[in-house]
């Protein structure tokens, strides 16, 4: 077991968690699971939440500030960032279209979704969140009996929960402006924003503002700041690494606990959860494959006519294969640069500038998956997010992608940020954990393919592209060399 790769250990933990959840439901052990196993899953979520906010803060500051002197960036830098952000928004929009069309979360039976909804409302009240769609099932006494069956709350407790949400919502809507969402992005107290995960957009705004300002101060003054930011960022990445080393056990506890809470002693509900998960996985996979085989080739064909469809994939296949196996854009970066330079004919001046930025800010696959995941989780809890709330998902996901580390499973940390931004329970990531690893492999292929596409477009626009169809593109690379 010691020599087994971490992702295999995590997969084993997931399988054992699923097996335990099935046994727990069929044998009537849900109470034991919730009391003695689930707390370790809560610890895992708390650790990820502890790391997520400072990781996003310092990653975004570093990502923006490390772009370089704004005077020397010129046209190429502006075009690079614009195209990366455009493809990210397009990927998120594609994900939202697919998940709102397929509705994978609504393919679970209605009674399971009602129970999920009741648990969501109780959680929202305990955390001080407003019910997102303005509907309160607990306001209807008809659901009290079921709520008491699936929770340990008394009837008076349930009444308090239902009324508290209505009062809070009414208070908040007294004095609101049409531009309130814009006002909410700009913090008046940054330290208050740091202490409240629901104000993640304010933290992202501050990080981008801070990073841009670092670009405009003299190098002798900005260098110590950058060194500090980069150093602190590395510490938080190491914290993620250490937490993920214990992930196999935590994943087992998290998965067993969440499924037990949702299904209780009814094994049929466990089956329903995994039925919904299958449709969710298919939806994400269709979106990712469309990005790889349709969207990027169309973008390439529009701007760079000299590279044929098959020629592009032949040139990039080594990097795509490595991306699939490592689930890391950062680990694949040397191979991506070699493929782009040697096989697509991109000038090194362009690739050395565009691709490292892409590994930091371009997370199209991760962004698409996060958009689908948030809406899927909302659907299976009978939460109908409005267009405005879905646009918040687009905005938060786009900005959070800047701070998403190019390492395996970083998307899960960012997903916590996105769930918090729309007031949903971050512990729900356990529901999609069983299929995350395989989808992570496809997401990384999307990210790397997007990097290469944008790099080639920039090179062609700068007259630094010299493509010749090669029969034998670079096939093997030694990452240690």
């Amino acid at each position: 077991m010691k020599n087994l790769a971490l992702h295999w250990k995590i997969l084993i933990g997931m399988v054992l968690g699923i097996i335990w959840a099935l046994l727990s439901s069929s044998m009537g052990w849900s109470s034991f699971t919730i009391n003695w196993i689930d707390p370790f899953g809560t610890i895992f979520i708390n650790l990820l939440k502890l790391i997520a906010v400072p990781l996003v803060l310092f990653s975004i500051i570093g990502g923006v500030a490390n772009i370089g002197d704004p005077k020397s960036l010129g046209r190429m830098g502006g075009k690079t960032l614009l195209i990366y952000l455009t493809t990210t928004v397009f990927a998120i929009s594609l994900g939202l279209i697919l998940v709102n069309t397929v509705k994978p979360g609504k393919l679970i039976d209605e009674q399971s979704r009602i129970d999920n909804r009741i648990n969501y409302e109780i959680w929202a009240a305990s955390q001080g969140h407003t019910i997102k769609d303005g509907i309160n099932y607990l306001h209807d006494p008809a659901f009290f009996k079921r709520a008491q069956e699936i929770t340990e709350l008394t009837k008076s407790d349930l009444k308090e929960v239902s009324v508290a949400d209505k009062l809070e919502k009414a208070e908040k809507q007294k004095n609101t402006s049409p531009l309130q969402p814009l006002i909410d992005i700009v913090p008046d107290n940054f330290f208050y924003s740091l202490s409240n995960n629901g104000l993640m957009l304010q933290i992202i705004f501050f990080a981008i503002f801070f990073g841009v300002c670092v670009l405009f101060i003299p190098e002798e003054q900005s260098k110590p700041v950058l060194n500090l930011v980069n150093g602190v960022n590395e510490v938080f990445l190491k914290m993620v690494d250490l937490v993920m080393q214990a992930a196999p056990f935590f994943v087992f506890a998290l998965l067993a606990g969440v499924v037990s809470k949702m299904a209780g002693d009814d094994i049929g509900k466990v089956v329903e959860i995994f039925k919904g998960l299958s449709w969710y996985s298919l939806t994400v996979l269709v979106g990712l494959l469309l990005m790889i085989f349709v969207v990027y080739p169309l973008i390439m064909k529009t701007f760079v006519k000299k590279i044929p469809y098959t020629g592009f994939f032949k040139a990039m296949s080594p990097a795509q294969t490595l991306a699939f196996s490592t689930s890391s854009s950062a680990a694949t970066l040397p191979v991506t640069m070699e493929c782009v330079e040697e096989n697509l004919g991109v000038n090194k001046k362009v690739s050395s500038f565009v691709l490292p930025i892409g590994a930091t800010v371009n997370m199209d696959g991760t962004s698409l998956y996060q958009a689908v995941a948030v809406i899927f989780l909302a659907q299976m809890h009978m939460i109908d997010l409005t267009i405005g709330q879905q646009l918040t998902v687009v905005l938060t996901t786009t900005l959070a992608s800047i701070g998403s580390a190019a390492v395996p499973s970083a998307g899960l940390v960012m997903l916590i940020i996105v769930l918090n931004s729309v007031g949903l329970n971050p512990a729900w990531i356990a529901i999609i954990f069983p299929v995350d690893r395989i989808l992570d492999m496809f997401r990384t292929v999307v990210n790397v393919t997007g990097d290469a596409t944008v790099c080639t477009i920039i090179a062609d626009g700068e007259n630094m592209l010299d493509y010749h169809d090669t029969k034998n593109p670079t096939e093997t690379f030694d990452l240690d060399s």
Side-chain angles (χ1 to χ4, degrees):
M1 286 290 286
K2 286 184 179 179
N3 297 325
L4 205 60
L6 179 61
H7 64 272
W8 288 114
K9 293 179 183 178
I10 292 175
L11 284 172
I12 291 171
M14 290 176 185
V15 172
L16 291 176
I18 293 168
I19 292 172
W20 181 268
L22 291 169
L23 279 174
S24 181
S25 291
S26 61
M27 303 293 288
W29 298 343
S30 292
S31 179
F32 172 83
T33 302
I34 292 169
N35 291 330
W36 295 98
I37 295 178
D38 180 61
F40 293 101
T42 304
I43 290 170
F44 182 51
I45 294 296
N46 288 346
L47 284 170
L48 290 178
K49 288 169 71 177
L50 171 72
I51 298 167
V53 173
L55 180 62
V56 168
L57 174 65
F58 289 102
S59 292
I60 293 179
I61 291 174
V64 174
N66 282 315
I67 288 174
D69 183 0
K71 295 179 182 177
S72 65
L73 284 179
R75 184 180 59 207
M76 189 166 72
K79 282 167 60 178
T80 299
L81 292 174
L82 178 62
I83 296 174
Y84 275 141
L85 289 174
T86 302
T87 59
T88 299
V89 171
F90 187 90
I92 297 167
S93 302
L94 175 62
L96 290 177
I97 290 170
L98 286 172
V99 75
N100 282 295
T101 302
V102 178
K103 296 181 172 62
K106 294 186 177 181
L107 298 175
I108 301 170
D109 77 90
E110 188 176 10
Q111 187 56 56
S112 295
R113 293 177 66 224
I114 289 173
D115 290 351
N116 293 343
R117 172 69 190 216
I118 291 170
N119 280 318
Y120 158 69
E121 291 188 9
I122 292 170
W123 170 85
S126 69
Q127 298 295 314
H129 290 295
T130 303
I131 301 299
K132 284 298 152 186
D133 52 12
I135 302 168
N136 194 327
Y137 276 54
L138 292 179
H139 194 62
D140 184 349
F143 290 102
F144 278 10
K145 184 178 179 182
R146 183 58 187 164
Q148 285 181 278
E149 289 175 1
I150 63 175
T151 69
E152 296 180 356
L153 295 178
T154 64
K155 185 174 286 189
S156 60
D157 291 332
L158 292 170
K159 285 182 179 178
E160 189 176 331
V161 167
S162 65
V163 173
D165 177 71
K166 293 294 181 185
L167 291 175
E168 185 180 356
K169 187 175 179 66
E171 187 66 29
K172 284 185 176 180
Q173 288 184 337
K174 278 184 181 177
N175 299 303
T176 57
S177 153
L179 294 179
Q180 190 62 41
L182 184 62
I183 295 171
D184 290 340
I185 293 175
V186 183
D188 61 351
N189 184 334
F190 174 64
F191 295 99
Y192 175 75
S193 304
L194 276 178
S195 64
N196 190 326
N197 286 334
L199 301 176
M200 198 59 217
L201 279 177
Q202 295 185 358
I203 296 171
I204 293 173
F205 171 85
F206 175 84
I208 294 174
F209 188 33
F210 189 98
V212 168
C213 290
V214 171
L215 288 173
F216 286 93
I217 63 176
E219 186 178 350
E220 62 271 15
Q221 294 173 332
S222 65
K223 193 172 181 180
V225 177
L226 274 176
N227 289 339
L228 175 64
V229 168
N230 292 333
V232 172
N233 193 46
E234 287 300 317
V235 172
F236 282 109
L237 286 175
K238 176 53 67 175
M239 289 173 72
V240 173
D241 182 53
L242 291 176
V243 170
M244 292 308 293
Q245 292 301 317
F249 168 71
F250 282 137
V251 165
F252 163 78
L254 184 64
L255 197 57
V258 168
V259 173
S260 291
K261 284 179 178 177
M262 294 178 68
D265 293 330
D266 184 355
I267 194 169
K269 286 190 180 179
V270 179
V271 175
E272 287 297 322
I273 290 170
F274 288 103
K275 184 176 80 174
L277 202 56
S278 300
W279 282 105
Y280 155 76
S281 302
L282 186 62
T283 305
V284 174
L285 196 56
V286 167
L288 296 176
L289 292 177
L290 282 174
M291 289 297 295
I292 296 170
F293 295 108
V294 178
V295 175
Y296 290 135
L298 280 176
I299 295 173
M300 180 73 78
K301 201 65 181 174
T302 302
F303 294 97
V304 186
K305 302 187 184 299
K306 65 179 77 172
I307 299 179
Y309 183 90
T310 54
F312 176 74
F313 286 102
K314 185 168 69 173
M316 291 307 302
S317 59
Q320 290 173 323
T321 303
L322 187 64
F324 186 80
S325 61
T326 63
S327 297
S328 172
S329 302
T332 312
L333 183 58
V335 182
T336 307
M337 293 182 76
E338 185 114 11
C339 286
V340 164
E341 293 166 12
E342 299 295 328
N343 302 338
L344 292 177
V346 173
N347 190 293
K348 193 170 184 178
K349 290 181 180 178
V350 176
S351 63
S352 62
F353 173 77
V354 175
L355 291 178
I357 292 178
T360 304
V361 304
N362 183 46
M363 297 289 169
D364 292 351
T366 304
S367 300
L368 184 149
Y369 131 82
Q370 288 175 344
V372 174
V374 170
I375 306 304
F376 164 71
L377 292 170
Q379 287 172 352
M380 72 180 295
H381 288 81
M382 298 190 81
I383 304 166
D384 291 321
L385 296 178
T386 64
I387 295 297
Q389 288 162 343
Q390 293 197 27
L391 288 175
T392 300
V393 172
V394 174
L395 180 59
T396 311
T397 308
T398 302
L399 296 176
S401 70
I402 298 172
S404 184
V407 296
S409 300
L412 277 175
V413 178
M414 294 303 109
L415 183 56
I416 289 176
I417 299 297
V418 181
L419 286 169
N420 271 322
S421 74
V422 286
L424 302 180
N425 190 348
W428 292 348
I429 66 168
I431 298 168
I432 60 173
F433 225 124
V435 294
D436 183 70
R437 180 62 189 183
I438 185 67
L439 294 178
D440 195 15
M441 297 162 82
F442 283 99
R443 296 198 301 261
T444 309
V445 176
V446 172
N447 294 341
V448 168
T449 306
D451 291 347
T453 301
V454 174
C455 187
T456 307
I457 292 170
I458 297 295
D460 187 60
E462 299 294 322
N463 295 316
M464 294 185 182
L465 181 67
D466 184 24
Y467 173 75
H468 298 287
D469 194 3
T470 54
K471 293 184 179 180
N472 297 303
T474 309
E475 292 181 354
T476 58
F477 299 89
D478 183 4
L479 290 178
D480 297 323
S481 61

